[in-house]
Every structure is written in structure tokens, then in C-alpha cells.
Amino acid sequence: MRRAFFCVILLGLIFFSFNVALAKVPIQPKPPAYPTEYPIKEVDDLFLTKEPWVEVNSDGTALVHWSTEVPTPGGRVYYGVYLPDQELDYPRFRKVALEEVTEFTKEHVAKINIKTFEKHKYNAARFVEKGEGVIAYRVEVFDPVKCTTRAYDRRFRFKKVGDTYIKALTITEGPFVDQVTTNSAIISWETDAPSLGCLVVNGEVYIDSENTIRHEVKVEGLNPGTVYEYTVLSYDASTDDLVTSRKYHLKTVPENAEVFKFAFLSDSREGVGGGERNYKGVNHRILTELFTDVFRKGADFIVFAGDLINGYTSNLRDFQMQLEAWKQTVEPIGHYIPIYEAMGNHDAALMLVYDDGTEHGVEFDKIGDESAEEVFRKEFVNPENGPEPEGPGLPTYKENVYSFDYGNTHIVVFNTNYWWSSQPEKYGGNLEGYIMN
């Protein structure tokens, strides 16, 4: 059975990664010799120059701000809540706020009313009883250059002190269940301000004492094949504010598991049709449907074998925002099921693009801390048992080349576009589909 399952994974990786070449004779790709005869061009799809951000007024109104790369007409903000008894955290947008502008502009602001959700018929999230809550919102802007709308989902938390409303520490990403074994798991999440982290699993407390935005906490000593409830907390000492997630659950791997379910997917980049099919480099609509189906069918883990996003961008912030959009889309399932991500050819951050007159030009992967591999490593929480690079200055293998066990099965994840260059034979870099030693 081990051999059969391994073949399924390996064949899938080969199929979705453009014919992996396993060389018998060692080949050392050449360091890039960047062409000087062609002009450099930027390739990116960055539309927002600044992340949407919110300021909460004391009277219960909130101002949503965003900045665009080019002047655009007034946008709109859909906003709503997460229902406390829903299993999957998909936001319920109930209201819309229109931006009050008459001219095209790069700086935008729209006003929303938190008090709306304190009215009896809208108090589904129990803001009145708790004196605080989380507002989910979607900024929708028309892009006059590409003649399409663009959407950006975010959330913020507020607190009510007497009759005064204030913005509060918010869990902006996660929590995600990562790297579940027979006796351990990693839980990761992010907040909108530096905080101290805490993970509670069945009453046991695990502390992340580092004051940071991103938290990764490992819990050990669990029993095999057991379902555990967990909650994450973050504390901002500067404001004396504590935020607590709702309860989620994880399941450890059964001892010597021979029968289990997993899902294998790839290629969730933007589709055609507008709306959620074109969500910051991700086909939000189809990816949500697939992951929800995987959850309903009881998968124990998910392997996503590359092409998460459109990629192929020379703007590093654009690359990061696309990966963040992918995580936002799968987050409701990632609360419960570990996801193992792999890099595909589209998950590329380009260092330089030289315009040689062809459709795409001469392209090179970024290097050092800005390489696609390094950004991928920082955005996800995958095993760090990959090899060391073959030479100095080459991108990391950590968390983009790795392996893990689930029961009686060993799964290997390759990066078949490692240190990629579009014309390696002429200018150096690595071949697409070539796996180095």
C-alpha cells in the first residue's frame, strides 16, 4: 500500500509539473549572465499601492481607506459578520457603503456603520451581548485600465467601552492547522499588530512569548487518531487588549494508518468571467467550492501541487498579495485540515524581465531573500527537511522541497521550477522541470 500511494503522489506531481526530468548525470546550472542588449521592463498586476486599512470612530462609524495605482472612480465596501455557530468561517455580507466621490482619484475612503449589527434583526454575531465583534469587509474597485472590477477582503475587530467604540487587536490570518503527526501539530496565525501568542488545546496552554505579528506554535504530546479542540489568543501589551479566536478542531494521524483520505489539487490561478474568478491572481470561486467539497468528504489532509496564483510578477509586493489572497480563500478549511503547498511554474517572482521582442521577454527568478522560494517559505508552514542548496546564493529549499509521512505513506514534494530562467541555455539559471541533485 505504501508503494501504491507513493506512486499516485509522484505521478500527480509529474503530470502537474510539466514532465519532471530526473537526470542520471549531475548537471550544474550556470549562474545567470543577464543580457545587456535589451531594456528592462516591469511586469506586475499590483493595483492597490497600500493595503486597505480601517480607523474606528468613537461614534460607531468606521472609515475604510485604500490607495490605487491609477486614478479610479469611487468604490464600494460590502460588509458583514461571521456567524458564531457556522462551521466554516465564510463572511456574511449584509450591507454596502458607497464611496462619496465624483472624480477619479488614487486615495479612497468609505464610511461603514458598525451600529447596524447591534439592531435586533442584524445582531446574529451577538455584538450587543459581547460588547465587541469582528466586521468582515470587501473593497470593490473598478479598474479603468483593464475594464474590470477588483475585490479585496479584509476584517477588523472593534470593542465598545461604555458608549465609545475603538479599534481592537485583530487576528487577520488563520489560525491554520499545519504539519499534523501522530502526536503533534503546528498552529499558525497573524495579527494586525505585534502581540504575544497563546495556543490552548484541550485545556493545555502553549505560549509564544515573542512579540510579533506572525505566530507559529507547536503542540506535542498528543494521542494518535484523536480529535482535539483548540483556540488561539493574542495579547497586545501596548493597549492591554486580548483577542480570542472561536474554537476549532484538529485530528492527529492514527498510528500506522493504512486507510485515510487526502485531496490532491493544483492550478487555482485566475479564470475568465470576472468577479470572484479574478480575485488577486486566484480563482476564489472555484477554489472555495473545491475546498468546501474536500472538507465535506472528510479529507485528512490536502496536497496542493502548484500554480496557486497567476504569479510571473516582478513586483514582490504583488507576489505576496497574491499568495495572501490564496490563503484567505482556503482559510475556512485550513482551520481544520492541514494543507501542504508546492510551487508550480506560475508561483514565480521575477527578478528582471528583459524585452527581447518576444511575448514574455527573458525572465529570471529573483535571488536571495526576494526569491520566489524564500517568499513562499515565509508565507506557508511546511516541513523544513529539504536539502541545502547546491551552491552559495541559490534560493532555499526549505518549505518548498520537503517530505512528510502520513500513516504508512511517505510523500515527497518537489519544486520543478527552482531558480528558474526562461532561457537558461543562453543566459544561465535553471531549466524548467529540472530537479538538481
Side-chain angles (χ1 to χ4, degrees):
M1 183 171 291
R2 172 190 292 268
R3 187 171 300 162
F5 273 115
F6 178 80
C7 287
V8 169
I9 291 293
L10 185 56
L11 287 172
L13 285 169
I14 291 173
F15 177 78
F16 285 113
S17 300
F18 303 95
N19 298 323
V20 174
L22 297 175
K24 295 181 180 180
V25 180
I27 298 174
Q28 182 64 41
K30 299 179 296 183
Y34 303 118
T36 58
E37 64 270 32
Y38 305 123
I40 298 174
K41 65 176 181 178
E42 292 292 323
V43 178
D44 70 76
D45 195 35
L46 189 67
F47 185 63
L48 291 192
T49 58
K50 187 185 299 182
E51 290 274 335
W53 62 279
V54 172
E55 58 177 324
V56 175
N57 297 324
S58 60
D59 64 357
T61 59
L63 301 179
V64 181
H65 300 260
W66 67 95
S67 302
T68 53
E69 187 78 25
V70 298
T72 72
R76 62 180 63 197
V77 177
Y78 303 98
Y79 59 107
V81 301
Y82 300 96
L83 301 182
D85 54 352
Q86 67 185 89
E87 187 172 26
L88 299 179
D89 288 339
Y90 295 124
R92 300 297 193 264
F93 298 123
R94 296 296 305 275
K95 291 294 179 178
V96 59
L98 303 180
E99 186 182 8
E100 297 179 359
V101 295
T102 57
E103 299 178 349
F104 281 36
T105 179
K106 291 184 179 181
E107 299 299 324
H108 302 267
V109 61
K111 181 187 290 187
I112 67 177
N113 187 2
I114 297 172
K115 288 183 177 180
T116 296
F117 299 103
E118 295 179 349
K119 296 178 181 179
H120 177 70
K121 66 177 181 178
Y122 292 123
N123 190 33
R126 300 166 192 158
F127 289 170
V128 174
E129 294 81 356
K130 296 188 295 183
E132 65 171 73
V134 175
I135 299 288
Y137 67 93
R138 169 172 292 178
V139 174
E140 185 182 71
V141 193
F142 179 73
D143 180 351
V145 176
K146 296 192 175 181
C147 293
T148 186
T149 55
R150 295 174 179 257
Y152 300 85
D153 289 1
R154 295 293 186 273
R155 58 182 177 243
F156 70 93
R157 175 171 160 262
F158 73 92
K159 293 175 68 175
K160 189 176 180 182
V161 182
D163 292 329
T164 301
Y165 294 79
I166 59 174
K167 188 174 181 296
L169 181 69
T170 307
I171 297 173
T172 53
E173 184 177 289
F176 286 98
V177 174
D178 299 296
Q179 299 184 47
V180 175
T181 71
T182 55
N183 58 15
S184 69
I186 296 174
I187 306 297
S188 62
W189 71 99
E190 289 189 11
T191 52
D192 61 349
S195 62
L196 306 175
C198 176
L199 168 66
V200 181
V201 181
N202 271 25
E204 294 291 327
V205 179
Y206 303 82
I207 301 294
D208 180 6
S209 57
E210 184 179 356
N211 195 48
T212 182
I213 288 176
R214 182 168 181 82
H215 300 277
E216 295 181 17
V217 179
K218 186 173 185 178
V219 53
E220 298 181 288
L222 305 178
N223 295 321
T226 305
V227 175
Y228 288 92
E229 284 191 340
Y230 76 89
T231 304
V232 302
L233 304 90
S234 278
Y235 175 70
D236 184 350
S238 66
T239 59
D240 192 29
D241 189 15
L242 178 69
V243 58
T244 304
S245 76
R246 56 170 288 192
K247 287 185 178 180
Y248 302 103
H249 61 77
L250 64 90
K251 182 182 178 182
T252 53
V253 182
E255 195 76 57
N256 300 317
E258 295 185 356
V259 178
F260 54 86
K261 295 180 181 179
F262 70 94
F264 184 87
L265 307 91
S266 75
D267 215 331
S268 56
R269 55 198 178 91
E270 281 187 359
V272 176
E276 289 190 335
R277 293 180 175 87
N278 302 79
Y279 181 75
K280 290 186 296 181
V282 177
N283 193 325
H284 185 291
R285 177 173 176 175
I286 301 303
L287 188 60
T288 297
E289 292 176 358
L290 288 171
F291 265 65
T292 302
D293 191 48
V294 165
F295 178 80
R296 298 301 182 203
K297 290 180 177 177
D300 295 296
F301 64 94
I302 299 168
V303 176
F304 204 95
D307 283 8
L308 287 71
I309 59 174
N310 280 2
Y312 283 121
T313 173
S314 58
N315 188 309
L316 197 62
R317 185 62 193 128
D318 180 29
F319 185 63
Q320 291 171 321
M321 287 184 71
Q322 290 187 45
L323 292 177
E324 289 165 0
W326 192 89
K327 289 190 291 183
Q328 288 171 355
T329 305
V330 304
E331 179 188 270
I333 309 304
H335 292 321
Y336 304 98
I337 302 175
I339 306 168
Y340 295 89
E341 301 86 1
M343 296 187 73
N345 66 303
H346 271 268
D347 306 309
L350 305 176
M351 177 179 178
L352 297 169
V353 181
Y354 295 88
D355 190 357
D356 64 349
T358 61
E359 180 180 2
H360 300 294
V362 186
E363 302 169 319
F364 298 89
D365 188 6
K366 287 183 181 288
I367 58 175
D369 290 341
E370 294 188 344
S371 69
E373 289 81 5
E374 180 64 22
V375 176
F376 196 87
R377 182 189 71 80
K378 291 177 180 177
E379 290 293 335
F380 297 105
V381 184
N382 288 318
E384 296 187 350
N385 56 6
E388 294 300 320
E390 276 85 352
L394 296 188
T396 182
Y397 281 124
K398 303 303 181 187
E399 301 189 57
N400 67 89
V401 173
Y402 56 89
S403 64
F404 64 95
D405 293 321
Y406 196 99
N408 66 347
T409 303
H410 185 66
I411 297 170
V412 178
V413 175
F414 295 107
N415 176 1
T416 58
N417 269 65
Y418 175 80
W419 195 42
W420 172 79
S421 163
S422 64
Q423 298 185 36
E425 299 90 342
K426 185 174 182 180
Y427 296 110
N430 199 6
L431 291 160
E432 183 168 70
Y434 177 73
I435 297 177
M436 298 170 70
N437 275 3

